[in-house]
Amino acid sequence: MPEQKRLSLAGIGCGSRTRTYMKLAMEQKNRYRIAAAADPVKQRTEAVRDFAPEEERDSVRLFKDAASLLAEPRLADVAIIGTQDDYHYAPCRKAMELGYHVLLEKPIAKTLKEALELRDTARLLKRRVAVCHVLRYTQFYRTLKKIIDSGEIGEVITFNANEGVGAWHFAHSFVRGHWGNSKTSTPMIVAKCCHDMDILYWLMGRRKCLSVASFGELTFFTKKTLSSPRPERCTEWTTPVGEDPWDARKYATDDECKRWLGMVYD
Ligand SMILES: NC(=O)c1ccc[n+]([C@@H]2O[C@H](COP(=O)([O-])OP(=O)(O)OC[C@H]3O[C@@H](n4cnc5c(N)ncnc54)[C@H](O)[C@@H]3O)[C@@H](O)[C@H]2O)c1
């Protein structure tokens, strides 16, 4: 049998997501090869390079940021774009212009206009842009899809889906973390609910959406709710762990949280 052509990969923004995808790709070294990586944090590009088999590491090109990688002619078949929400559109567009197909982290872009522009560019240039709506690939949702498509439960009229964002995930990501400010990142309806909208659309197989609403408030996370002097950072308490609900040290013993933090921190 002829040897399968390996797809070469360039990682743009080598944080938690890109490293996860690169690591997974290297579980199938006969199908994928790491060609390049870009990130302002050098250790992250080096970590991507080190996923490659030893004999191929020297050929992995490392760049200090997306712009310098994308200033080169195309270095790989596929660009994996795993930068933060506010920096998806520009590298994705440029990568397509250079001839890359793209594995693009969600959300596609910050605005509908930009998302549609990326769609049109992909069509025009005949590039494939796969958006990382990863739920579609889980056993659970694939099974649901199979059941719905088989007609076994008849026509679907209503669908209720709740996503429980863990308390520590909420505080870490959506209060003080990357998505703590919708102006510099994206609001919840885009950052998190894009997965829900995608999965509902995919499961139901209907394109039409009549309206979408999103609401919420900080409630506990304001200066008004501070009843006693608090340390500057939620890891700097001097009181016994667990006495205050905002003491982040308590999560150091939570197994689920530890697993998750291990993924999002270097
Ligand atoms: N599909 C999913 O289920 C899922 C889950 C979590 C996050 N995400 C999305 O994935 C994206 C990345 O999330 P993450 O948790 O990996 O974030 P992260 O902060 O760990 O990674 C982003 C990386 O981009 C780098 N970066 C910043 N500026 C850059 C530049 N100019 N050029 C190149 N790299 C640059 C940062 O140094 C960082 O390493 C986000 O858009 C997020 O919404 C998707």
Side-chain angles (χ1 to χ4, degrees), residues 81 88-98 117-118 121 125:
I81 300 189
H88 286 181
Y89 169 80
C92 183
R93 197 189 165 106
K94 181 73 185 165
M96 284 195 280
E97 286 166 1
L98 286 169
E117 263 182 56
L118 291 181
T121 308
L125 300 175

Side-chain angles (χ1 to χ4, degrees), residues 134-150:
V134 293
L135 295 180
R136 289 191 188 198
Y137 303 93
T138 59
Q139 196 59 48
F140 174 78
Y141 282 110
R142 283 162 67 162
T143 306
L144 260 188
K145 171 90 175 141
K146 226 170 159 179
I147 294 170
I148 292 172
D149 286 353
S150 74

Side-chain angles (χ1 to χ4, degrees), residues 5-238:
K5 179 186 178 297
R6 290 196 298 168
L7 275 185
S8 51
L9 311 172
I12 296 179
C14 299
S16 155
R17 301 305 298 180
T18 298
R19 292 204 305 274
T20 300
Y21 297 132
M22 289 292 195
K23 202 169 161 193
L24 285 171
M26 287 303 100
E27 287 174 14
Q28 298 188 61
K29 297 190 188 72
N30 58 332
R31 298 185 64 189
Y32 303 105
R33 177 174 70 77
I34 300 175
D39 199 295
V41 182
K42 201 165 156 242
Q43 288 89 335
R44 296 184 187 157
T45 50
E46 289 171 351
V48 166
R49 178 196 60 202
D50 293 346
F51 289 140
E54 213 169 332
E55 65 280 10
E56 291 180 6
R57 285 183 199 155
D58 283 349
S59 64
V60 180
R61 298 196 49 197
L62 307 188
F63 294 86
K64 66 176 176 26
D65 56 21
S68 27
L69 188 152
L70 294 168
E72 298 275 331
R74 182 168 69 87
L75 299 170
D77 302 308
V78 177
I80 300 178
I81 300 189
T83 40
Q84 274 300 334
D85 296 16
D86 61 343
Y87 193 49
H88 286 181
Y89 169 80
C92 183
R93 197 189 165 106
K94 181 73 185 165
M96 284 195 280
E97 286 166 1
L98 286 169
Y100 289 92
H101 296 291
V102 179
L103 181 68
L104 176 63
E105 256 309 347
K106 50 62 44 176
I108 298 170
K110 280 193 78 170
T111 63
L112 178 62
K113 182 171 173 284
E114 287 178 347
L116 294 177
E117 263 182 56
L118 291 181
R119 179 201 63 184
D120 294 343
T121 308
R123 281 185 182 160
L124 186 75
L125 300 175
K126 299 194 169 38
R127 306 282 182 257
R128 298 182 72 173
V129 179
V131 183
C132 299
H133 286 302
V134 293
L135 295 180
R136 289 191 188 198
Y137 303 93
T138 59
Q139 196 59 48
F140 174 78
Y141 282 110
R142 283 162 67 162
T143 306
L144 260 188
K145 171 90 175 141
K146 226 170 159 179
I147 294 170
I148 292 172
D149 286 353
S150 74
E152 191 183 326
I153 56 168
E155 190 190 351
V156 179
I157 305 294
T158 347
F159 202 118
N160 289 334
N162 294 329
E163 173 160 344
V165 180
W168 35 263
H169 181 12
F170 195 95
H172 173 76
S173 297
F174 300 100
V175 178
R176 56 178 177 260
H178 288 309
W179 300 271
N181 184 334
S182 57
K183 291 201 178 69
T184 52
S185 180
T186 46
M188 196 61 127
I189 188 76
V190 175
K192 207 87 185 103
C193 305
C194 66
H195 281 308
D196 308 320
M197 291 186 276
D198 178 72
I199 205 76
L200 288 176
Y201 154 64
W202 182 66
L203 287 172
M204 305 278 280
R206 296 181 203 148
R207 293 185 74 90
K208 200 165 180 187
C209 173
L210 294 183
S211 79
V212 172
S214 178
F215 46 87
E217 57 181 286
L218 291 175
T219 316
F220 301 115
F221 302 104
T222 64
K223 285 221 158 82
K224 267 194 287 177
T225 59
L226 297 182
S227 53
S228 57
R230 309 268 161 147
E232 186 63 24
R233 301 187 68 83
C234 53
T235 47
E236 290 167 1
W237 293 87
T238 48

